[in-house]
Amino acid sequence: MKPVLTRSEAISFLDEVFPQINGEFHLDQMDGETTIMRLSPQEKHLRPGNTVSGPTMFALVDVTAYVATLAIIGREALAVTTHCSMDFMRKPLPDRDLVATGTLLKLGRSLAVVDVKLHSEGREGLVASASLTYSIPPLKQT
């Protein structure tokens, strides 16, 4: 599918509607089929055991799925997560970027389904795998 937002438009939109995550995530690629985002872990992202926390990994996965959906539907702040299933497979490296690769599997009138794979940069094997469903608000009638 051809994206309706450019990478810079998506970044600008996120800054506008979610200023609380400004600077947390970097959008590497967004082409309508694959979305790649990353997080450079900082002390605030770590949990005991010197690993990245589950909520931090979920946030990266969720934002990646959101951007993958926005790439095709456009600027829609009220698209929301309605389902997420996430499997944690191995500890991420605390000193390496976490990279999320999202693939839009299906886009319907009211739902988008996105698969997201998470890995530590420079390390073999997945850190986590997630499947997310986003609810897309109905088109406004004018």
Side-chain angles (χ1 to χ4, degrees):
M1 289 179 244
K2 186 174 181 190
V4 297
L5 291 179
T6 66
R7 181 179 164 275
S8 62
E9 288 170 335
I11 292 167
S12 176
F13 183 66
L14 286 176
D15 288 345
E16 176 187 324
V17 297
F18 290 113
Q20 65 271 30
I21 65 166
N22 190 320
E24 287 289 312
F25 308 104
H26 179 76
L27 178 56
D28 287 351
Q29 177 184 326
M30 181 189 80
D31 63 15
E33 292 184 22
T34 302
T35 299
I36 300 174
M37 297 191 74
R38 72 178 55 240
L39 166 83
S40 297
Q42 300 169 19
E43 183 68 31
K44 67 182 178 179
H45 300 122
L46 303 181
R47 58 161 301 205
N50 197 35
T51 187
V52 178
S53 72
T56 297
M57 289 188 278
F58 174 80
L60 176 57
V61 163
D62 193 41
V63 169
T64 301
Y66 183 59
V67 172
T69 303
L70 293 180
I72 301 302
I73 68 169
R75 297 171 56 96
E76 181 51 72
L78 298 179
V80 296
T81 310
T82 59
H83 171 78
C84 178
S85 175
M86 189 165 174
D87 293 306
F88 298 92
M89 299 176 192
R90 58 182 49 86
K91 285 173 58 170
L93 300 173
D95 59 346
R96 297 287 181 95
D97 281 2
L98 273 177
V99 180
T101 303
T103 305
L104 186 63
L105 300 178
K106 181 178 190 290
L107 179 66
R109 285 180 289 140
S110 61
L111 296 174
V113 179
V114 184
D115 176 72
V116 181
K117 305 294 188 212
L118 191 61
H119 71 275
S120 287
E121 190 168 60
R123 181 180 188 193
E124 293 285 326
L126 291 178
V127 167
S129 178
S131 174
L132 296 94
T133 303
Y134 262 79
S135 176
I136 302 166
L139 291 174
K140 295 178 182 117
Q141 302 297 320
T142 55

